[in-house]
Amino acid sequence: KMDYIALGMAGLPAKPQVSEQALRDWFADKSDDYLAPAWVTLTHIYFKDKADADAAYSAIKAGGDAPGGERFLFRRNYVEATHALINDHLGSYIASFAFDETQADETWSAPLQSAYGWHLVKVLKRQPETLPPFEELAPQLLQDWYREQQGKARDIAVKAIVDTFTV
């Protein structure tokens, strides 16, 4: 009830009204909140034993096809997967490798160890953390800006109501 009363007292318009430049400035201050996370697309081949992983890697290096490997608990292919997902499924070492932009794409890695065994990993594509353009985010930015204005107005109105009482 207090929120309803406070918002009525705040006198904010029913529709958000802000100039584009003011919204752009607000976006510049809050840009970290709108970053799209980095992601990778990769495939991997899983082996329980390092010797099998080494043999498979040698076969690939010799020009042979990638072997099938063994059945893995999670996925074999990850499409636009975040660091958190790769870390959760394949471990921090493989996640660090996959998101290391100095590693070559489209090339099989040497065997990498996880908690489950050994993996040959091929990163197909990497996308670094990006900030979408203002134009793409404008409708969401307007809503978020208005919600912030409502919160500020509500806080001022509640304080004004509370200040009228002696406790």
Side-chain angles (χ1 to χ4, degrees), residues 57-166:
Y57 182 66
S58 295
I60 291 170
K61 283 298 186 191
D65 290 334
E70 299 173 43
R71 186 167 174 80
F72 186 60
L73 179 64
F74 299 112
R75 306 175 195 165
R76 180 178 176 129
N77 300 305
Y78 291 84
V79 178
E80 296 184 7
T82 62
H83 190 280
L85 179 65
I86 299 297
N87 185 58
D88 188 45
H89 286 200
L90 300 172
S92 61
Y93 184 68
I94 294 175
S96 295
F97 170 84
F99 283 87
D100 182 356
E101 292 189 20
T102 63
Q103 300 293 334
D105 288 354
E106 299 282 336
T107 305
W108 286 104
S109 71
L112 302 171
Q113 188 174 20
S114 75
Y116 305 104
W118 296 88
H119 307 259
L120 303 181
V121 177
K122 182 193 277 190
V123 175
L124 304 172
K125 187 173 182 180
R126 288 183 181 89
Q127 173 69 44
E129 185 175 66
T130 57
L131 182 63
F134 173 83
E135 292 74 21
E136 185 179 313
L137 294 173
Q140 180 184 353
L141 294 172
L142 184 60
Q143 288 178 350
D144 293 348
W145 174 85
Y146 188 65
R147 195 173 301 115
E148 182 179 278
Q149 301 313 306
Q150 284 180 320
K152 288 177 183 177
R154 181 177 42 249
D155 292 346
I156 291 168
V158 167
K159 184 176 180 346
I161 293 169
V162 170
D163 287 347
T164 63
F165 294 95
T166 304

Side-chain angles (χ1 to χ4, degrees), residues 24-36:
R24 283 182 183 276
D25 293 343
W26 183 84
F27 175 50
D29 290 342
K30 307 278 187 188
S31 61
D32 287 349
D33 297 341
Y34 296 93
L35 288 171

